[in-house]
Amino acid sequence: MRWVAFLARRIAGAAAVLAILSGLIFAATEALPGDAAGVLAGADASAAERAQLRADLELDRPPLERYGDWIAGAVAGDLGVSLVGRRDVDAVLFDRLPNSLLLTALALGAAVPAAIALGLAAGLREGRPADRMVSSAALVLVSLPEFLTVTLLIAVFGTWLGLLPEVSLTPLGGRPWDTPQAMVLPVLSLAVVGLAVMTRLVRSSVAEAAASPYAEAARLAGVRGVRLALRHILPNALGPVVQVFAVMFGGLLGGAVVVETIFNYPGVGFELQQAVANRDVPMVQGLALALAALALAVLLLGDIVGTLVNPRLRSAP
Amino acid sequence: MTRRALFAALCAGVIVLIALAGPLLTDRSPTAQAGNALLAPSPEHPLGTDVVGRDVLARVLHGGLAVVALSAGATVLAGAAGLALGVLTGLAGRRTGELAVRAVDVLGVVPPLLVMLLLATGFPAGDLAVLVAVALVSLPFSVRVVRAATQQVAGSGFVDIARARGDGQWRILRHDIVPNILRPVLAETGLRLSASIHLTATAGFLGLGAGAPAPNWGRMVGENAVGFALTPWPFLAPALLLVVFAVSVNLLADELGRALGVRS
Amino acid sequence: MSELARVSGLVIGPASGGAPTVDGVGFTLDSGEVLGLMGRSGSGKTTTALTLLGHIRPGLRLREGSVRVAGLDPFAPADVRRLRGRVVSFLGQDPAAALNPARRIGGQIREAVRLRAASAGPDQVDRLLDAVRLPAGRDFLRRFPHQISGGQARRVAFAIALAGAPELLILDEPTAGLDTVLARETRDLLRELAEGRGVVLVSHDEHLVRALAADRVLVLDAGRPVSAPPRAARVTPSPPPGPPSEGPAALRAERLSAAHDRRPVLREVSLAVGRGECVAVVGPSGSGKTTLARCLVGLHRPAGGEISLEGTRLAPDVRRRTPDQRRAVQLVAQDSMGALNPRETVTAALTRPLRARGLPRTRVPGLVAELLGRVHLPASLADRRPPALSGGERQRVNLARALACAPRVLVCDEVTSALDAEIGEAVLGLLDELRRDLGLGVVLITHDLAAVARSASRVLVVHEGEIVERGPTASVLSGPRHHVTRMLVEHAADQGFGAPAP
């Protein structure tokens, strides 16, 4: 029963945050003085033409009314029609989302085990050369914006070594997994970006657990090596890490926008970036709402898993 | 100051100098066509020309201001707002404080780049969108750190004693709270600056902010990546400057945190 | 008896260089013998004891000396594996913190058994639990450390330390931070468990050293062995000062009740302290003493009852009291470090209340010097910040700061419990002096009945938020009625404070 109440509370909380976010998304894109219609009509459009366009786009109706319509549509699964190309926003979303999820999942799948291994190795040797090497490398990588890491990776692997395709040449209407070699660089890029952040987290969490009185007691009682690391230290280090991994996912979504843009990878991030460049307001709103919902869902999941792996919280959620 | 910190400070200082004084060091226009596209370095064009034939050196010297000024400005903005909000919510009653923090936390849920993209859609093209977005992304972190530090200090014995003695809120704030939260706040500001550089450069790369011909290190990396095989400098020069800037500032932030005894 | 351990010429210092923390310590220990390692905090006791396990805490380095346990060298990797847990077992300060919060109790005990005595049968766990008087049920073994009480966690840690029947037990301050009752229980249990083993006992608790019948005691001072035996007892108490003055009580609380998050912690507590009088409030930890102190100064809003100052009723919230009333009742807290702003110098800390009283800036330096003299601190400390002061000095600064408000009553909450015995004595002596010279009323809150014998004219014993016994100090000490009082009195007697002769 406690668990049901706990889950209900968390889900209700997430739903409330999503509702607030939808308002913020709408306000940011429509209420700010960006004047999408003006941009769309072009610089040399007459005042009459602009007014006509505003009327066509129904931008002259009160914002609250339009927000109500948008939300009602979103709940029913209809996110409107894009200004550029008149595409159904929900159709674009459902076509692109699996590609983005695949990219992110593969990158996470590569980065998480590596981050745990590296973080554990470094955290257990705090202050020693191995730790300093891992920590410094991670510090450098963390500070680099994704686009720099990725373009430098392309320069090395694609251009200099000629090993891998520099853009994902997914055929029109095809799926990225039809051409696996085109996915290697995007996945690798995204994984490297995530790896650095996660390694740092695991390392500091492990180092803290390793310096705790119970770890010292275990060591003095003769527990050593792998057993000390996996049975005594890791379980205590993992709790905070899981929750921060979930926060990381948001960062990874941002990274995905950059990576997809660079590789012309047919994902949500790529579409979003295009839509922003075109000031395609309905498309931006729809995709942003979906990404925000996704980020929230992952945070929620991280919260639940984090509670599960921490016995202190598990017994009294 | 450790040697590492000294080195990082030196690097960051040089980059800031290039960014601020760069426009004065060249009389070439960073936006005018100066020759054929993607020329190799020559005495005429020490770093060659870019994909549309503009002088790379002139663009590099003009293109740092946007990154340095915007990231620093946003950090200062968010830091000031965060300090005020954090102290207020830290001292407010439990309910009010938590409500305010929840409100700010909603912002923290959105991936930073998404905030940036949304504001770029809403604002007219220009640097204002970037400045506001970067500041907004920093704000929740800033508020959380300041609030946590404030709460910790507010719960300590010496604040209790000052209250019991009848010292006013303002006196306690000035003598007890602020001097004792400066360390974590300063350390956090270093980290925020590092993250702001990250986001500002990415905005430039994605073509957000000031219009297309304006020089910007981030945008130059994006524009010239395709020409990398022909001549690397139009891509490498801004990329290296950004790498050095981002890494040295992050190193400095790390060293600052360590020196202030705050674990990052 | 055969030799179990030998330590000779031990020198340990910071890895970065500098003065050694352990300097030339050596001793031998036969099997079954008990050695007490005593000394002040920071004297190198724990560092010395840990070398028997081949452990040097991070930041320190073994510079010289050799250690042998059962003929093995704990600093040789191959030997230490055979020593840890099997021959030598360690029980640290706050044993409960040694339990891994993410693992079940049963798993942790079983692991200890398996690691050290692979041949032991499954009943070994039950026998261990029995030895430390813990229930052996499956239900208990499936719990996590946070699901058992602090006392139980302590016993689990004992059981883990005893797994594999170690020949040498190293006990590091096992009673530190415990209140009188718990410390007594722990001592009794340890006496039983140590039976027949070699024990190195690190402690500054003289009772414990006595209880375990230490064969020999080694006293360390700043890392060096000192020949003098430990002082048997503290100084004898001075007789309590004369009767309280006449007139209305300086501070009076009537039927005071208070709660934390609706959980009641104080029930209808009444007390009164006159000018120049010292009234002690004594009770085990968790009895509500600190809440009482906070209520008196107006930092905790009582749920009922009232407080009056020289006959005038005081508002429950300090913000509602007049400036004069606020200054009249001052709090001095246990945590001398936490009570001082780490960014303020001593002068700044004393200047603030003086300026708040509206005294002209020109008079402040003279008054600061006067206050420092009052609490017997040299003027040379005036420019220091709290981290550069010793515990005793900090507590004197706290007192001086309270005096700067020109109070009529001081509420002292465990002001000596974080201090070494002699320094605590001196602080108490200072309080007596202030009472006599300035006519200050003192509410002395403590868990240590021995501390009050010298100063207080009357004692109130609190237990679970209620006053269970009250009366003149002498009669409470000589004829305690409530069982909690009896326990506190016995503890005080242990420390060399017999009941004062009537």
Side-chain angles (χ1 to χ4, degrees):
Chain A
M1 257 344 268
R2 267 195 328 226
W3 268 99
V4 174
F6 168 72
L7 285 179
R9 214 167 45 233
R10 289 303 155 98
I11 291 171
V17 172
L18 187 61
I20 297 171
L21 282 182
S22 72
L24 290 179
I25 289 171
F26 192 85
T29 45
E30 299 225 1
L32 287 175
D35 188 20
V39 175
L40 278 175
D44 40 358
S46 69
E49 282 170 325
R50 284 177 197 220
Q52 181 59 44
L53 190 62
R54 287 180 66 82
D56 288 349
L57 296 176
E58 299 186 353
L59 288 179
D60 41 5
R61 289 168 56 210
L64 263 182
E65 208 174 294
R66 283 184 288 136
Y67 172 70
D69 286 354
W70 179 59
I71 280 300
V75 170
D78 172 18
L79 289 169
V81 180
S82 76
L83 300 182
V84 180
R86 313 298 297 170
R87 294 185 294 168
D88 270 339
V89 174
D90 33 299
V92 172
L93 177 67
F94 287 116
D95 184 58
R96 301 308 201 198
L97 194 59
N99 298 352
S100 284
L101 287 179
L102 177 73
L103 177 66
T104 317
L106 286 177
L108 267 179
V112 167
I116 291 182
L118 280 173
L120 203 52
L124 289 174
R125 293 173 180 76
E126 195 181 3
R128 299 226 290 266
D131 172 41
R132 259 183 266 159
M133 224 169 65
V134 171
S135 300
S136 307
L139 184 69
V140 168
L141 266 182
V142 159
S143 50
L144 290 184
E146 292 91 352
F147 73 92
L148 275 177
T149 321
V150 176
T151 47
L152 288 170
L153 269 177
I154 296 179
V156 174
F157 285 99
T159 313
W160 269 346
L161 303 177
L163 286 180
L164 297 161
E166 293 163 35
V167 288
S168 28
L169 299 170
T170 310
L172 214 63
R175 287 296 179 186
W177 49 87
D178 298 335
T179 49
Q181 70 277 16
M183 290 205 67
V184 174
L185 260 188
V187 168
L188 190 66
S189 306
L190 201 51
V192 166
V193 168
L195 178 66
V197 182
M198 290 190 270
T199 302
R200 273 167 66 89
L201 289 176
V202 179
R203 181 204 163 271
S204 68
S205 194
V206 165
E208 194 178 312
S212 66
Y214 53 83
E216 185 178 57
R219 248 181 245 122
L220 290 178
V223 184
R224 298 177 302 124
V226 177
R227 188 178 180 84
L228 181 70
L230 296 187
R231 295 297 305 273
H232 290 257
I233 293 175
L234 196 58
N236 287 290
L238 226 46
V241 167
V242 169
Q243 290 185 349
V244 190
F245 271 9
V247 178
M248 251 301 295
F249 183 82
L252 224 49
L253 279 181
V257 174
V258 172
V259 169
E260 290 177 6
T261 303
I262 293 174
F263 290 99
N264 284 329
Y265 181 93
V268 179
F270 174 70
E271 287 291 347
L272 181 61
Q273 193 268 337
Q274 294 286 311
V276 170
N278 296 328
R279 297 222 170 213
D280 190 340
V281 173
M283 185 66 97
V284 173
Q285 288 171 341
L287 298 182
L289 186 64
L291 287 184
L294 197 61
L296 258 177
V298 173
L299 276 181
L300 184 64
L301 198 69
D303 200 6
I304 294 169
V305 175
T307 308
L308 268 176
V309 300
N310 185 341
R312 198 178 285 264
L313 298 176
R314 179 168 47 203
S315 53
Chain B
M1 214 176 187
T2 64
R3 253 189 307 172
R4 207 160 83 127
L6 203 65
F7 179 70
L10 206 69
C11 288
V14 168
I15 303 282
V16 170
L17 203 67
I18 293 177
L20 297 184
L24 309 173
L25 298 178
T26 176
D27 42 14
R28 269 184 192 284
S29 158
T31 51
Q33 180 97 17
N36 287 332
L38 296 173
L39 289 176
S42 64
E44 174 80 354
H45 304 290
L47 287 174
T49 59
D50 72 357
V51 274
V52 291
R54 294 170 295 207
D55 183 62
V56 172
L57 182 63
R59 281 181 76 72
V60 163
L61 289 175
H62 278 92
L65 194 60
V67 177
V68 171
L70 284 179
S71 53
T75 306
V76 170
L77 221 61
L83 189 63
L85 275 176
V87 168
L88 278 179
T89 57
L91 293 179
R94 213 186 331 170
R95 283 246 179 92
T96 333
E98 255 169 42
L99 204 68
V101 164
R102 287 267 167 89
V104 184
D105 267 350
V106 169
L107 259 180
V109 170
V110 191
L113 199 58
L114 196 55
V115 175
M116 171 70 77
L117 289 170
L118 282 169
L119 291 188
T121 312
F123 274 102
D127 285 332
L128 186 64
V130 178
L131 184 74
V132 173
V134 176
L136 271 184
V137 165
S138 281
L139 190 62
F141 291 92
S142 206
V143 171
R144 226 174 298 167
V145 168
V146 175
R147 177 174 135 93
T150 303
Q151 277 178 322
Q152 199 192 347
V153 176
S156 60
F158 56 88
V159 172
D160 263 358
I161 300 245
R163 283 224 168 92
R165 192 169 62 208
D167 277 12
Q169 193 75 278
W170 181 244
R171 194 185 285 263
I172 290 176
L173 204 64
R174 195 165 63 112
H175 289 283
D176 294 324
I177 309 265
V178 171
N180 283 297
I181 62 171
L182 279 185
R183 275 159 182 266
V185 170
L186 210 59
E188 174 66 14
T189 306
L191 291 177
R192 284 308 109 216
L193 179 62
S194 180
S196 297
I197 292 170
H198 204 285
L199 193 56
T200 311
T202 304
F205 173 78
L206 290 176
L208 311 172
N216 173 309
W217 290 345
R219 179 153 340 121
M220 290 175 71
V221 170
E223 287 167 348
N224 296 307
V226 284
F228 180 75
L230 286 167
T231 173
W233 290 110
F235 165 76
L236 272 189
L240 288 181
L241 285 168
L242 278 178
V243 168
V244 173
F245 189 43
V247 172
S248 58
V249 168
N250 199 17
L251 262 178
L252 263 184
D254 191 59
E255 292 284 328
L256 184 68
R258 215 180 294 241
L260 294 174
V262 182
R263 283 188 73 128
S264 58
Chain C
M1 276 194 280
S2 61
E3 185 179 286
L4 179 58
R6 169 182 291 276
V7 172
S8 46
L10 201 61
V11 181
I12 298 173
S16 49
T21 46
V22 171
D23 194 0
V25 173
F27 58 85
T28 59
L29 184 75
D30 289 340
S31 45
E33 197 183 18
V34 177
L35 172 73
L37 265 183
M38 301 192 66
R40 279 171 224 227
S41 44
S43 59
K45 309 181 296 269
T46 301
T47 309
T48 302
L50 282 174
T51 58
L52 293 165
L53 287 144
H55 186 65
I56 302 276
R57 288 224 160 113
L60 293 175
R61 217 182 34 170
L62 177 67
R63 292 189 186 159
E64 271 172 52
S66 73
V67 181
R68 287 288 176 279
V69 178
L72 299 168
D73 178 4
F75 287 95
D79 288 1
V80 72
R81 255 169 254 171
R82 290 166 58 194
L83 280 176
R84 286 191 181 177
R86 287 175 222 189
V87 181
V88 194
S89 197
F90 176 78
L91 198 60
Q93 240 171 62
D94 190 8
L99 299 183
N100 192 320
R103 305 186 61 204
R104 295 178 198 279
I105 301 299
Q108 300 196 45
I109 302 179
R110 271 194 295 274
E111 177 185 54
V113 170
R114 205 168 40 234
L115 271 172
R116 298 172 194 166
S119 55
D123 61 330
Q124 171 78 10
V125 172
D126 291 347
R127 269 192 284 130
L128 281 173
L129 287 174
D130 189 49
V132 295
R133 297 195 213 103
L134 277 174
R138 208 181 105 76
D139 176 57
F140 182 75
L141 291 176
R142 282 189 53 76
R143 292 196 198 162
F144 284 96
H146 70 275
Q147 291 167 322
I148 62 180
S149 74
Q152 285 176 326
R154 192 170 281 274
R155 284 153 193 268
V156 170
F158 289 176
I160 288 175
L162 289 176
E167 287 171 60
L168 174 57
L169 201 55
I170 297 171
L171 303 174
D172 184 11
E173 303 271 16
T175 55
L178 295 184
D179 68 36
T180 325
V181 182
L182 261 179
R184 189 181 194 90
E185 253 177 51
T186 306
R187 273 198 298 274
D188 292 345
L189 185 59
L190 281 176
R191 184 163 48 209
E192 236 171 79
L193 300 180
E195 195 64 44
R197 299 177 209 280
V199 174
V200 172
L201 172 64
V202 175
S203 181
H204 59 245
D205 177 353
E206 285 156 24
H207 307 77
L208 180 63
V209 175
R210 220 177 305 146
L212 290 190
D215 300 278
R216 275 178 303 128
V217 172
L218 182 65
V219 182
L220 298 186
D221 184 28
R224 284 168 213 268
V226 203
S227 50
R231 294 191 318 127
R234 296 195 215 162
V235 290
T236 39
S238 62
S245 58
E246 301 301 312
L251 185 70
R252 177 188 295 278
E254 262 178 286
R255 302 166 70 83
L256 211 56
S257 299
H260 276 298
D261 297 326
R262 301 215 186 92
R263 188 174 49 84
V265 285
L266 276 187
R267 289 188 202 84
E268 309 217 327
V269 170
S270 300
L271 71 86
V273 57
R275 264 179 64 82
E277 190 192 19
C278 174
V279 172
V281 178
V282 191
S285 51
S287 54
K289 304 188 301 287
T290 293
T291 308
L292 176 60
R294 293 176 63 84
C295 284
L296 291 178
V297 296
L299 286 172
H300 188 102
R301 203 190 169 85
E306 65 180 62
I307 303 166
S308 55
L309 177 72
E310 285 163 0
T312 317
R313 190 174 166 180
L314 289 178
D317 186 331
V318 69
R319 282 171 293 188
R320 296 267 156 79
R321 298 184 183 174
T322 67
D324 185 53
Q325 289 171 340
R326 282 192 292 242
R327 282 196 291 270
V329 188
Q330 286 297 309
L331 174 70
V332 185
Q334 169 179 14
D335 177 12
S336 64
M337 187 67 174
L340 290 170
N341 183 340
R343 316 290 297 171
E344 272 180 350
T345 61
V346 172
T347 305
L350 298 183
T351 302
R352 268 173 70 185
L354 290 174
R355 292 285 295 152
R357 271 167 65 189
L359 294 170
R361 201 178 290 275
T362 47
R363 280 192 58 202
V364 167
L367 287 170
V368 167
E370 197 185 309
L371 284 168
L372 287 176
R374 256 269 154 249
V375 297
H376 307 302
L377 280 177
S380 59
L381 293 182
D383 294 326
R384 295 218 195 144
R385 287 177 216 280
L389 299 173
S390 73
E393 287 165 347
R394 281 196 298 265
Q395 206 56 293
R396 284 166 194 270
V397 174
N398 278 325
L399 272 172
R401 182 179 55 182
L403 295 178
C405 295
R408 278 165 274 173
V409 177
L410 280 185
V411 179
C412 299
D413 183 13
E414 300 273 16
V415 283
T416 59
S417 62
L419 303 176
D420 282 344
E422 301 156 61
I423 297 167
E425 275 305 318
V427 169
L428 287 176
L430 175 59
L431 277 177
D432 289 347
E433 203 181 301
L434 296 173
R435 219 147 43 80
R436 204 175 47 231
D437 296 356
L438 306 174
L440 275 179
V442 171
V443 179
L444 186 64
I445 294 177
T446 175
H447 68 269
D448 186 1
L449 197 51
V452 313
R454 63 172 292 164
S455 307
S457 54
R458 284 180 298 126
V459 178
L460 283 73
V461 181
V462 210
H463 178 54
E464 291 177 352
E466 278 174 281
I467 292 189
V468 294
E469 185 158 356
R470 65 196 315 160
T473 309
S475 61
V476 170
L477 281 177
S478 57
R481 292 190 305 274
H482 194 268
H483 72 96
V484 171
T485 320
R486 269 198 296 278
M487 199 135 50
L488 293 165
V489 168
E490 275 172 46
H491 179 78
D494 274 354
Q495 289 191 303
F497 282 89

